[in-house]
């Protein structure tokens, strides 16, 4: 634990490259954000517009799923291949999601009275 | 090592994962979030099976109770706060401490706005007789949305602590991972809210 | 502050303070072991009282109410407060050494996990003195427990809530430790099996404890704050408790048995003197068991009326678990097969474990047959099944590993002869107690009854069962005696006590210094110590770094303070339904202590300290004489 990290000055080219890279990345994040806002609008809109519930329910669930994947992979950087042990983390997260899904399934199907 | 003064030129590319402790924190916050997944799944599943259930002749139902405009504003506040914390992390990468503090403060303000609306909503429900002990439905609703609200409170306290304690110290490799972990937690709160506004409010209004 | 020399000369007060504030995984391992043993003894006594009561028909050794308390506390204590901490003890003591780490990823959280567990356990046990223990079974089904008078159930809910939080925190710590703290070269597929099972067990804790937390919270607010989750009059549904409890409960049994599998997978190759057979299939089976463990919970609810479709699905998924479990059994047998076997006490436990556990697995598959389970459910057959897997699997693993790892943990050895006496008393007693219960169950004796009428053909079998329980108690007493004399015995000061150690923990000389490895090892293959030994490496390991300063974490009293805060708050919540005026203030004070400690923790920098090279050299010389750990 705690071995000192090398303090290394970046070359000017590298520094500028990284600055630029970060800025481009940030721009992408803003676009992702715009998509999320749009998806949210859409979800509220179809409910307000009073379409058939058989359409709305699967549709807004799909929108929610897309939005969550966006959050996880862009805002939370689960797509970052250089993230420390990100593969293990992905395994854990999706395993949790699968378990969570079984909870919903059983609570909606075999709890009744 | 932690005392090292950095410049933008010497600041590492991934400050949130630059030291062994930072790597532990990074993996740690994610693993913690995994446990939160099944926590919320349990409360959520319970809510779904108790929705609209109450004493015989209960007059409250999701379709009547929930107001979409309020839910919409709350959603926008929280979603935007997610973006502002991304901005804070962007400035952290560029070793711009002022940027980090400012954007984190904006995040906190948005979060407070969300919380205020939630408190208003709860207050309103209690006022019209839909209190915590009114029915199974009310218990489940308040527990689900309240658990999320509690996460918001924890996130806010956490971020405020970070902003305050580091105001004089500036960015270093000891506190950068802490900011990062807090922002990941904050995004997760938003992830949960996406399900809440979809399943509780939107699908609730549908009946 | 750091050197062992100083630690040895400390007075009692300083030593106590050291243990109260320690973040050293080896000390926490010892503390888990001690606390686990304490609760094992308490729960064991409760079991004895139950068996005395059931020895004869119409007995009146204890009353019906007391019997219910005994049976509830026995189950709850054994699972949450004895088996779990005992296994955590081994995980703490051994896993960091196995992966070549100096400490765990979050030493502070490790200590917090212990104190939460311990104070939660104490809280639960205070119920005996404060108006009666919980009495609705360890499963505490809501239809029963919601209306249980007095505060017993409240103690159960709050105590488990606190200790469960501790377990979850420890689980997170182990996961991160194993993912990030492995020494260079220790790839996932070179990890010893105990490390693997610790990882998977911690993952199960990670996903299974939150549902328990939620269920307990529902029960808490239902009983103490007027919520309606389980109250059908107000729209609630008690089945929700059963689902949440078993969503947790089934993974919980694998949380306990997987580390036991891991421990035996360490013991068997050492004493068969042969590489573990089918290592990768063992890893695969462990992961598969972990996954399937989450898909089977409703096999505990076959008779609640889930409907034939659900019963069929859960029956099939349950039977599927027998496949990876069977893989493991065959791998153990094939490891022993053709080995040059040394029958030491740990190996004796391993040899006893295999047939006993298989018997438990077979009855499990019988119960998984839903139609048959309508007959078996809630009978003594179930009691026999789970004691075969729990005692035959977990307890045998714990006793065997005590002998196996005692040299590393305490630098002392347990006596082999006494160990054999313990084994035979315990093993024979165990089969005597529980084998016959299968038949009691098939003859129709229901579980959880405080007495029975004479002449139904149950009298003799119950009597035999009680005799077995007494034999088990004698075995345990011999073990305690063994431990006491070992404390008085000479320190070993050696490496590789059993002579055939394979994984990294055996490469270290005992006593292990507080920083574990003076230089981080370089792992060059599976079974690294065996590898180095065979290449004639006198030092037992190849180093990945030159001797340098070591960074170690600071001790802290905050974990204890945080736990005490929750302990205090729990009292406020407990007495809330009585309408006492101080309940809400006490809750607030308690939570304020906890939150305050958390804020102190987050505001204060905790950078740890460095052990300098000179200090390391001095410590090594002081521990092992001139030349250090060579
Ligand atoms: C092949 C493996 C196994 C199968 C197929 C299996 C199957 C089952 C089934 C179907 C039940 C429910 C019976 C009933 O209540 O009617 C049960 C109960 C139980 N099993 Fe297993 N089991 C297996 C392994 C294990 C293991 C490894 C453990 C513990 C380490 C365990 C611990 C328990 C416990 C504690 C109960 C009773 C819970 C209670 O009602 O209090 N089982 N098992
Ligand atoms: Cu089970």
């Amino acid at each position: 634990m705690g071995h000192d990290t090398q303090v290394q000055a970046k070359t000017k080219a590298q520094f500028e490259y990284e600055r630029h890279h970060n800025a481009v990345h940030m721009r992408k994040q803003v676009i992702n954000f715009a998509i999320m806002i749009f998806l949210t609008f859409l979800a509220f809109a179809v409910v307000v517009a009073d379409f058939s519930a058989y359409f709305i329910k699967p549709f807004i669930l799909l929108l929610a799923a897309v939005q969550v994947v966006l959050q996880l992979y862009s805002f939370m950087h689960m797509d970052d291949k250089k993230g420390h042990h990100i593969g293990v983390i992905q395994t854990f997260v999706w395993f949790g999601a699968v378990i969570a899904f079984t909870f919903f399934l059983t609570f909606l199907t075999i709890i009744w009275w | 090592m932690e005392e090292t003064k950095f410049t933008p030129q010497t600041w590492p590319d991934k400050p949130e994962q630059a030291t062994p402790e930072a790597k532990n924190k990074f993996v740690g916050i994610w693993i913690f979030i995994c446990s939160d997944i099944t926590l919320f799944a349990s409360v959520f599943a319970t809510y779904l099976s108790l929705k609209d259930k109450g004493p015989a002749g209960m007059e409250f139902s999701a379709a009547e109770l929930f107001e979409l405009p309020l839910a919409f504003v709350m959603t926008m506040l929280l979603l935007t706060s997610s973006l502002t914390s991304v901005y804070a992390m962007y400035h952290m990468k560029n070793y711009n401490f002022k940027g980090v503090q400012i954007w984190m403060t904006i995040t906190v303000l948005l979060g407070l706005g969300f919380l205020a609306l939630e408190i208003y909503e709860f207050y309103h429900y209690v006022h019209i007789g839909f209190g915590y002990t009114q029915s199974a439905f009310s218990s489940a609703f308040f527990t689900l949305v309240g658990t999320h609200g509690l996460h918001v409170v924890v996130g806010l306290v956490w971020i405020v602590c970070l902003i305050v304690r580091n105001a004089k110290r500036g960015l270093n490799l000891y506190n950068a991972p802490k900011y990062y972990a807090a922002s990941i937690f904050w995004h997760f709160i938003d992830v949960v809210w996406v399900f809440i506004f979809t399943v509780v409010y939107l699908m609730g209004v549908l009946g | 502050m750091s050197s062992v020399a100083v630690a040895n000369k400390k007075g009692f007060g300083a030593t106590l303070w050291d243990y109260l504030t320690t973040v050293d995984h080896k000390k926490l391992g010892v503390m888990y072991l001690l606390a686990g043993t304490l609760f094992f003894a308490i729960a064991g006594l409760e079991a004895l009282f139950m068996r005395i009561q059931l020895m004869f028909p119409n007995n009146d050794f204890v009353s019906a109410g007391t019997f219910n308390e005994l049976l509830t506390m026995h189950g709850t204590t054994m699972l949450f407060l004895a088996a779990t901490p005992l296994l955590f003890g081994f995980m703490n003591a051994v896993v960091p050494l196995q992966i070549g780490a100096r400490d765990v990823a979050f030493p502070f959280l490790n200590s917090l996990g212990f104190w939460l567990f311990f104070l939660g356990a104490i809280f639960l046990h205070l119920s005996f003195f404060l108006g009666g223990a919980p009495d609705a079974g360890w499963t505490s089904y809501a239809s029963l427990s919601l209306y249980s008078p007095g505060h017993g159930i409240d103690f159960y809910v709050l105590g488990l809530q606190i200790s469960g939080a501790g377990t979850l925190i420890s689980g997170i710590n182990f996961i991160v430790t194993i993912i990030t703290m492995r020494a260079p070269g220790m790839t996932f597929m070179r990890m010893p099996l105990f490390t693997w099972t610790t990882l998977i067990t911690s993952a199960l804790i990670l996903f299974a404890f939150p549902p328990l937390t939620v269920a307990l919270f529902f029960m808490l607010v239902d009983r103490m704050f007027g919520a309606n989750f389980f109250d059908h009059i107000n729209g609630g549904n008690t089945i929700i408790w059963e689902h949440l409890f078993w969503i947790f409960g089934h993974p919980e049994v694998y949380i306990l048995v997987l580390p036991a599998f891991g421990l035996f997978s360490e013991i068997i190759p050492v004493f068969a003197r042969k590489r573990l057979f089918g290592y990768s299939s063992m890893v695969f089976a462990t992961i598969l068991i972990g996954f399937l463990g989450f898909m089977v919970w409703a096999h505990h609810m076959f008779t609640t009326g889930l409907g034939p479709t659900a019963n069929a699905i859960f029956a099939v998924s349950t039977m599927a678990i027998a496949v990876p479990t069977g893989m493991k059994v065959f791998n153990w047998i094939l490891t022993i097969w053709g080995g040059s076997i040394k029958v030491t006490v740990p190996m004796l436990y391993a040899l006893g474990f295999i047939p006993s556990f298989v018997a438990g697995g077979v009855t499990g598959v019988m119960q998984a047959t839903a139609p048959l389970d309508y007959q078996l459910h809630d009978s003594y057959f179930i009691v026999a099944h789970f004691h075969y897997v729990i005692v035959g699997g977990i307890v045998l693993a714990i006793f065997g590993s005590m002998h196996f790892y005692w040299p590393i943990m305490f630098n002392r050895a347990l006596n082999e002869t006494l160990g054999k006496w313990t084994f035979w008393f315990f093993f024979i007693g165990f089969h005597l107690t529980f084998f016959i219960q299968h038949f009691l169950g098939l003859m129709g004796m229901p579980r959880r009854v405080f007495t029975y009428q004479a002449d139904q053909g149950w009298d003799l079998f119950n009597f035999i069962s009680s005799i077995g329980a007494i034999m088990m108690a004698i075995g345990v007493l011999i073990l305690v005696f063994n431990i006491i004399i070992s404390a008085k015995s000479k320190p070993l000061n050696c490496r590789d006590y059993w002579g055939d150690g394979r994984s990294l923990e055996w490469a270290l000389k005992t006593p292990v210094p507080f920083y574990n490895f003076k230089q981080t090892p370089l792992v060059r293959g599976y079974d690294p110590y065996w590898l180095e030994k065979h290449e004639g490496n006198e030092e037992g390991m190849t180093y990945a770094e030159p001797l340098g300063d070591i960074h170690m974490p600071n001790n802290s009293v905050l974990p204890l303070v945080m736990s005490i805060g929750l302990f205090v708050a729990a009292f406020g919540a407990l007495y809330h339904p009585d309408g006492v005026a101080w309940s809400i203030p006490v809750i607030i004070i308690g939570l304020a202590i906890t939150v305050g400690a958390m804020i102190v923790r987050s505001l204060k920098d905790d950078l740890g300290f460095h052990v300098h090279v000179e200090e390391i050299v001095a410590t090594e010389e002081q521990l092992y004489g001139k030349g250090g750990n060579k």
Side-chain angles (χ1 to χ4, degrees):
Chain A
M1 259 180 132
H3 292 291
D4 302 53
T5 36
Q6 258 85 32
V7 178
Q8 233 173 11
K10 298 170 189 158
T11 63
K12 193 160 182 307
Q14 196 185 0
F15 176 69
E16 259 151 30
Y17 169 77
E18 265 163 24
R19 278 280 152 131
H20 178 70
H21 179 82
N22 288 348
V24 171
H25 186 69
M26 191 61 225
R27 225 167 294 144
K28 272 196 204 135
Q29 298 285 39
V30 176
I31 293 171
N32 284 330
F33 174 71
I35 296 175
M36 289 180 206
I37 294 281
F38 175 68
L39 295 179
T40 311
F41 259 113
L42 211 56
F44 277 88
V46 291
V47 174
V48 173
D50 221 8
F51 288 114
S52 151
Y54 289 104
F55 164 72
I56 297 179
K57 282 185 182 173
F59 184 66
I60 59 178
L61 281 176
L62 183 73
L63 292 184
V66 173
Q67 199 175 141
V68 162
V69 170
L70 263 182
Q71 277 271 356
L72 287 173
Y73 278 82
S74 72
F75 282 10
M76 294 166 85
H77 301 289
M78 243 167 73
D79 63 339
D80 180 2
K81 299 227 167 40
K82 279 189 255 140
H84 196 60
H85 285 293
I86 198 77
V88 182
I89 291 173
Q90 286 174 348
T91 313
F92 269 89
V93 170
W94 287 114
F95 184 58
V98 169
I99 297 174
F101 179 73
T102 62
F103 295 5
F104 288 107
L105 205 60
T106 44
F107 275 60
L108 284 172
T109 52
I110 52 176
I111 293 188
W112 63 65
W113 59 107
Chain B
M1 69 179 168
E2 280 81 15
E3 287 73 25
T4 325
K5 266 277 163 258
F6 287 94
T7 67
Q9 274 74 23
T10 59
W11 186 240
D13 190 24
K14 274 193 185 312
E16 78 278 4
Q17 300 175 40
T19 66
E21 282 87 353
K23 289 182 175 137
N24 288 346
K25 272 212 179 66
F26 175 78
V27 177
I29 187 72
W30 271 106
I31 297 298
F32 167 75
I33 280 175
C34 289
S35 79
D36 245 16
I37 293 177
T38 52
L39 183 96
F40 274 110
S42 309
V43 188
F44 228 121
T46 306
Y47 169 79
L48 288 176
S49 63
L50 291 180
K51 183 175 159 226
D52 293 344
K53 300 285 187 330
M58 179 175 76
E59 74 233 57
F60 297 108
S61 72
E64 319 258 289
L65 206 58
F66 299 142
E67 313 237 349
L68 285 190
L70 189 68
F72 183 74
V73 176
M74 285 164 76
T75 307
M76 285 301 148
L77 284 176
L78 208 59
L79 209 56
T80 313
S81 79
S82 215
L83 180 75
T84 55
S85 79
V86 174
Y87 264 108
M89 290 307 102
Y90 166 65
H91 288 299
M92 191 177 87
K93 277 197 167 63
N94 285 343
Y95 198 65
N96 173 358
F97 184 57
K98 235 172 104 198
V100 176
Q101 296 285 79
I102 291 173
W103 284 105
M104 275 303 194
T105 311
I106 298 176
T107 306
V108 169
L109 292 178
L110 289 168
L112 281 175
F114 173 89
L115 210 57
L117 290 184
E118 183 152 277
I119 291 169
Y120 163 76
E121 186 195 0
F122 281 10
Y123 175 79
H124 171 70
Y125 292 152
V126 173
H127 193 70
I128 60 172
F130 187 69
Y132 190 63
T133 56
Q134 190 267 336
S135 60
F137 175 40
S138 76
S139 301
F141 168 79
F142 283 112
T143 303
L144 172 59
V145 181
T147 307
H148 177 267
L150 193 69
H151 277 70
V152 174
V153 172
V154 170
L156 288 177
V157 172
W158 188 1
I159 296 176
V160 167
C161 279
L162 284 176
I163 294 175
V164 171
R165 81 180 282 283
N166 293 316
K168 293 238 167 56
R169 303 178 212 218
L171 260 188
N172 55 39
L173 292 183
Y174 180 72
N175 57 29
K178 294 185 184 231
Y179 276 103
Y180 188 83
S183 88
I184 289 280
F185 182 71
W186 192 256
H187 290 308
F188 180 70
I189 292 174
D190 203 22
V191 166
V192 175
W193 182 255
V194 170
F195 284 114
I196 292 184
F197 88 69
T198 305
V199 175
V200 175
Y201 290 97
L202 290 179
M203 288 169 66
V205 173
L206 291 178
Chain C
M1 67 189 294
S2 43
S3 114
V4 182
V6 181
N8 285 346
K9 286 187 204 106
K10 274 181 194 162
F12 174 74
T15 312
L16 182 69
W17 180 250
D18 188 40
Y19 273 87
L20 291 180
T21 59
T22 187
V23 294
D24 182 341
H25 68 93
K26 295 180 289 304
K27 285 185 183 151
L28 286 166
V30 172
M31 284 151 77
Y32 269 120
L33 206 65
L34 284 176
T37 309
L38 170 71
F39 292 116
F40 184 85
I42 294 174
L45 271 180
E46 286 157 3
L48 268 186
F49 292 156
M50 282 192 285
R51 263 338 304 175
I52 293 173
Q53 163 69 14
L54 291 174
M55 209 158 170
F56 307 104
N58 290 315
N59 203 357
D60 60 356
F61 177 70
V62 294
S63 70
T66 312
F67 189 89
N68 286 348
E69 295 182 2
L70 288 175
L71 100 91
T72 304
M73 287 301 281
H74 166 71
T76 312
T77 309
M78 277 297 187
L79 287 169
F80 291 98
L81 314 176
T84 311
L86 285 168
L87 292 170
F88 271 10
F90 292 117
M91 293 182 195
N92 263 303
V94 176
V95 167
L97 304 183
Q98 282 195 330
I99 62 175
R102 295 221 167 90
D103 210 319
V104 292
F106 303 116
F108 183 89
L109 291 187
N110 201 12
S111 148
L112 179 61
F114 173 81
W115 288 112
L116 285 174
F117 141 70
F118 188 68
L119 287 177
I122 297 287
F123 185 83
L124 177 57
H125 276 81
L126 285 180
S127 63
F128 278 117
F129 310 104
L130 298 173
D135 57 0
W138 83 284
T139 51
S140 204
Y141 276 14
S143 26
L144 193 58
S145 57
L146 211 49
Y147 306 104
S148 165
H151 284 302
I153 302 295
D154 306 335
F155 276 107
Y156 170 94
V157 167
L158 291 159
L160 288 192
Q161 194 72 283
I162 296 174
S163 82
T167 308
L168 179 61
I169 288 173
S170 310
I172 293 177
N173 177 41
F174 280 121
I175 295 176
V176 181
T177 303
I178 294 171
I179 293 177
T180 64
M181 306 277 288
R182 284 166 291 131
M186 179 60 82
T187 58
F188 276 113
M189 289 312 276
R190 284 178 185 172
M191 281 178 355
L193 259 187
F194 184 51
T195 303
W196 258 112
T197 51
T198 301
L199 176 63
I200 302 300
T201 280
S202 307
L204 293 186
I205 290 175
L206 183 77
F207 293 116
F209 268 73
L212 175 70
T213 307
V214 169
L216 290 172
F217 179 79
F218 290 169
M219 180 68 77
L220 187 154
V221 287
D222 260 22
R223 274 185 64 100
M224 292 166 235
F225 297 93
N228 303 299
F229 288 100
F230 307 125
D231 180 0
H232 65 98
I233 295 169
N234 287 319
N237 189 339
T238 62
I239 294 295
I240 289 174
W241 168 272
E242 295 187 22
H243 274 292
L244 287 176
F245 186 85
W246 288 118
I247 283 175
F248 148 79
H250 187 80
E252 164 73 5
V253 301
Y254 283 98
I255 287 168
L256 297 175
V257 90
L258 282 179
F261 287 175
L263 289 166
F264 282 126
S265 305
E266 299 295 319
I267 292 175
I268 290 175
V270 168
F271 297 111
R273 291 191 263 184
K274 204 163 146 258
R275 183 189 155 115
L276 184 68
F277 187 90
Y279 170 79
S280 22
S281 73
M282 281 295 222
V283 171
F284 173 71
T286 309
I287 297 173
L288 200 60
I289 290 176
F291 178 75
L292 288 176
F294 273 102
M295 305 294 153
V296 300
W297 75 83
H299 65 215
H300 296 273
M301 300 165 66
F302 282 149
T303 58
T304 45
L306 307 171
T309 317
N311 273 6
I313 292 171
F314 280 103
V316 171
S317 62
T318 303
M319 291 177 192
I321 293 204
V323 176
T325 314
M327 279 161 66
K328 285 191 168 264
V329 171
F330 282 115
N331 282 332
W332 288 316
I333 294 175
L334 289 170
T335 308
I336 299 173
W337 194 285
S340 115
I341 305 164
K342 267 204 288 196
V343 186
T344 56
V345 173
M347 189 62 175
L348 212 49
Y349 278 103
L351 294 174
F353 151 77
I354 296 177
S356 313
F357 187 81
V358 167
V362 168
T363 52
V365 177
M366 287 169 73
Q367 291 158 192
T369 318
L372 178 57
D373 191 55
Y374 270 76
Q375 173 69 23
L376 303 176
H377 181 64
D378 256 345
S379 75
Y380 256 84
F381 194 88
I382 306 301
V383 179
H385 157 68
F386 66 70
H387 282 93
Y388 260 79
V389 280
I390 291 176
V391 181
I394 299 155
V395 178
L396 290 188
I398 290 170
F399 286 0
S401 312
M402 277 191 181
H403 284 266
F404 190 54
Y405 282 125
W406 211 257
I408 290 185
M409 292 180 74
F410 296 100
N411 195 24
R412 304 278 193 291
L414 290 176
N415 183 296
E416 283 279 298
T417 316
L418 285 175
K420 285 186 179 152
W421 279 100
T422 301
F423 173 79
W424 286 114
F425 265 107
F426 193 80
F427 189 72
I428 296 173
F430 155 61
H431 283 284
L432 216 52
T433 311
F434 294 111
F435 188 70
I436 216 144
Q437 291 185 359
H438 291 111
F439 300 100
L440 279 172
L442 292 173
M443 290 155 146
M445 179 164 169
R447 68 189 278 201
R448 292 176 173 166
V449 287
F450 85 104
T451 191
Y452 51 93
Q453 299 302 314
D455 299 324
Q456 307 179 73
W458 302 349
D459 307 8
L460 177 66
F461 283 8
N462 270 302
F463 183 76
I464 294 176
S465 185
S466 298
I467 296 297
I470 292 168
M471 282 184 71
M472 290 166 81
I474 295 173
V476 174
L477 283 180
I478 299 176
L479 179 63
V480 172
F481 178 65
N482 199 347
I483 290 174
I484 292 170
I485 59 167
S486 95
K488 300 230 181 294
S489 71
K490 263 205 345 272
L492 298 172
N493 294 329
C494 73
R495 172 184 6 231
D496 192 11
Y497 174 76
W498 300 103
D500 292 298
R502 306 178 74 87
S503 38
L504 213 47
E505 74 270 28
W506 300 108
L508 286 167
K509 255 191 178 176
T510 55
V512 180
F514 66 97
Y515 46 77
N516 298 352
F517 296 90
K518 70 179 192 294
Q519 288 157 276
T520 301
L522 176 71
V523 177
R524 301 191 299 140
Y526 178 61
D527 279 347
Y529 179 50
W530 188 86
L531 202 88
E532 299 291 347
K533 258 195 297 195
H534 269 249
E535 297 191 354
N537 183 342
E538 295 281 303
E539 302 200 21
M541 59 181 109
T542 310
Y543 300 118
E545 58 174 16
L547 196 59
D549 289 1
I550 295 176
H551 180 251
M552 293 300 288
N554 287 328
N555 284 359
S556 171
V557 74
L558 289 178
L560 180 59
V561 176
M562 288 180 193
S563 310
I564 289 176
L566 289 184
F567 185 79
V568 171
F571 271 106
L574 186 90
Y575 288 104
H576 186 259
D578 296 357
V580 288
W582 48 265
S583 84
I584 297 286
V586 168
I587 295 180
I588 292 174
I589 292 172
L591 291 182
I593 295 175
T594 304
V595 174
M598 282 160 79
I599 290 179
V600 170
R601 168 75 184 165
S602 88
L603 292 184
K604 240 180 61 187
D605 278 346
D606 183 7
L607 302 176
F609 64 96
H610 281 91
V611 193
H612 298 291
V613 175
E614 311 80 69
E615 221 177 320
I616 299 171
V617 173
T619 311
E620 299 268 321
E621 264 182 25
Q622 200 257 331
L623 287 179
Y624 316 115
K626 269 255 169 302
N629 188 357
K630 281 269 154 74

